[in-house]
Amino acid sequence: MRFHQRSAFTLVELLVVIAIIGVLVGLLLPAVQAAREAARRMSCSNNFKQIGLATHNYHSAYNQLPQHMTGNTRTYTNDSTICNRLYISAQVGLTPFFEQQGLWEQISNPFDRNGDGVLAYPPDSPPMGPGPWQTYYPPWMTEIPMLRCPSDPGRGLPALGRCNYAVCVGDVIELVHSGGKNESGIYDGSVGIDTDEAAIRAGNGSNDSNRASAARSRNRGLFWVRHKTAFRDCLDGLSNTIAMGEIATILGGREIISEFILNGPDTVTTDPAACDQFVDPQRPQFWLTTATVGGGNQIRGGRWADGRIQYTAFQTIKPPNSLSCFRGGDASQGISSASSRHQGGAHVLMGDGAVRFITDSIESGNQAITPAHSGAESSFGLWGALGTRGSREIVSLEQ
């Protein structure tokens, strides 16, 4: 009797093995992707914790929070290639506190723009640099890893240095874009508070007490643009007040989480729902093709050193991953929302340094009414209350 030993698989056996491997890969791939995103999300949270620690160290050193929209006043010069006219973000002031001392040295010293070895202005820039939209200035073009979320794939031009972490300026629309002051640091009451730019730009003049009062009643966040704030101003408790939050940067797909509307309705300053009409009803995560979105480097999170709300600030009005919309150009008033590339929500940094993940479904009150101010309870529920520093709303995410 003879026995024959097979030297290879049959075709059927080979196909069965390939099919089994394919099924296993199909089952494991989502798990691998989920694990990678979990790692990126943890890395993002760690970045935020480091920023929180930097903020507390800054406060320990100067007894105040880093001022958002600071620098040289317009009274020095109107030329933005020389003077920044009070547009520098709080993120700039934090650089030496999160291991960016070299970058801070460049910013805090005069800049020899023409390279002649003579620091005279003009044409050179004084300390704190030129307008934060000037592309010739190296620090403004620098992308800082600490300010980037690993889950955000946006890279490079047309942005300058991208930034995924923005300061919280409260739950009101009017006057939070400027804090009530113009480029000269003056409470300019020459135009109404419901107008396009509402005196964020030019103007010297004299302080208007009515404008100062209006600004104080509306700027309810832990950060108050063009003003100094400190932990002692947070009467609701640091653990109950948002200091910063995430923002997603542009990928070029007209997504509502990463691109904002410019030249929107005049009513956007009083009606949070005014821009809902520009959302594509068939694809609610995207803008309609007819909507005017920001272009060039006027894009969400596209200028890490620019303190305007379009770039490095947000309000607790619409819940995370909602739209951002502005009445005019990139210096106008409007709504800036938190957003992220994480599934289902975005990270926020609380005043005490804790990092929390806020879901899209957080209770956010009535989205069709004018934002309350002057010490009133927030119009936007738990989300709005977490964005105010002193409205006596002792709310907690643990509730």
Side-chain angles (χ1 to χ4, degrees):
M1 185 180 292
R2 295 181 180 180
F3 294 93
H4 297 281
Q5 185 176 3
R6 292 189 304 174
S7 59
F9 291 108
T10 66
L11 179 60
V12 173
E13 290 172 330
L14 184 61
L15 291 175
V16 169
V17 170
I18 291 173
I20 292 172
I21 292 173
V23 171
L24 291 175
V25 170
L27 292 173
L28 291 175
L29 190 58
V32 171
Q33 293 289 68
R36 287 177 176 173
E37 170 53 25
R40 289 192 291 264
R41 179 169 159 176
M42 183 176 295
S43 179
C44 176
S45 176
N46 287 337
N47 282 349
F48 233 166
K49 288 178 181 177
Q50 293 301 314
I51 293 172
L53 181 60
T55 302
H56 276 254
N57 287 339
Y58 185 102
H59 194 281
S60 295
Y62 299 108
N63 292 318
Q64 67 175 65
L65 291 166
Q67 186 171 319
H68 196 64
M69 288 181 65
T70 184
N72 318 111
T73 63
R74 182 187 176 92
T75 51
Y76 178 84
T77 175
N78 186 37
D79 187 354
S80 68
T81 64
I82 298 172
C83 174
N84 54 58
R85 303 188 323 220
L86 298 181
Y87 283 103
I88 301 301
S89 70
Q91 289 81 340
V92 173
L94 286 175
T95 51
F97 293 89
F98 53 68
E99 305 302 324
Q100 291 293 330
Q101 184 66 34
L103 188 62
W104 171 251
E105 292 293 338
Q106 294 182 56
I107 297 169
S108 59
N109 284 287
F111 178 66
D112 185 4
R113 181 181 178 187
N114 58 8
D116 61 1
V118 179
L119 295 174
Y121 350 112
D124 300 309
S125 295
M128 300 307 293
W133 51 90
Q134 298 295 341
T135 57
Y136 73 83
Y137 190 59
W140 299 163
M141 300 296 292
T142 301
E143 190 155 294
I144 304 172
M146 184 67 71
L147 297 179
R148 295 305 317 277
C149 170
S151 294
D152 192 321
R155 292 291 183 273
L157 297 174
L160 308 187
R162 294 191 184 222
C163 177
N164 288 110
Y165 306 116
V167 304
C168 179
V169 291
D171 64 339
V172 181
I173 303 172
E174 294 174 334
L175 297 184
V176 301
H177 70 312
S178 67
K181 290 185 176 181
N182 63 21
E183 294 172 352
S184 299
I186 301 296
Y187 291 109
D188 186 357
S190 61
V191 294
I193 62 174
D194 61 344
T195 55
D196 183 354
E197 295 179 354
I200 188 178
R201 290 189 185 274
N204 296 310
S206 57
N207 283 309
D208 183 286
S209 59
N210 291 329
R211 177 54 52 87
S213 177
R216 185 172 299 279
S217 67
R218 288 165 172 77
N219 284 271
R220 295 156 39 117
L222 191 57
F223 285 85
W224 180 1
V225 168
R226 289 177 174 164
H227 289 74
K228 296 178 181 178
T229 55
F231 289 153
R232 65 181 179 185
D233 299 317
C234 186
L235 304 181
D236 289 350
L238 293 174
S239 62
N240 301 320
T241 305
I242 295 173
M244 301 180 73
E246 279 191 270
I247 54 173
T249 68
I250 187 174
L251 299 181
R254 299 180 69 85
E255 299 172 281
I256 65 170
I257 66 169
S258 63
E259 299 191 42
F260 51 72
I261 290 288
L262 295 179
N263 302 307
D266 290 346
T267 54
V268 71
T269 55
T270 55
D271 179 11
C275 295
D276 291 356
Q277 59 183 302
F278 300 113
V279 176
D280 189 339
Q282 302 301 318
R283 305 170 70 217
Q285 293 178 321
F286 298 86
W287 295 112
L288 290 168
T289 56
T290 55
T292 304
V293 298
N297 59 35
Q298 293 184 345
I299 54 178
R300 190 81 169 130
R303 303 177 184 174
W304 78 276
D306 196 325
R308 284 174 285 188
I309 58 176
Q310 289 84 356
Y311 307 116
T312 54
F314 77 101
Q315 298 130 301
T316 54
I317 296 175
K318 289 184 172 293
N321 292 327
S322 297
L323 61 82
S324 297
C325 179
F326 304 93
R327 177 171 174 160
D330 69 342
S332 64
Q333 305 194 85
I335 298 173
S336 179
S337 300
S339 60
S340 82
R341 298 289 175 186
H342 308 303
Q343 187 66 33
H347 288 111
V348 296
L349 172 69
M350 307 305 290
D352 63 352
V355 176
R356 308 298 297 270
F357 189 79
I358 305 295
T359 64
D360 302 345
S361 59
I362 187 172
E363 195 272 309
S364 55
N366 189 342
Q367 292 289 311
I369 63 174
T370 301
H373 55 81
S374 301
E377 182 177 303
S378 178
S379 304
F380 307 112
L382 174 59
W383 179 234
L386 289 170
T388 61
R389 67 179 184 274
S391 296
R392 295 300 196 277
E393 296 168 297
I394 313 301
V395 298
S396 172
L397 289 170
E398 304 298 336
Q399 294 177 346

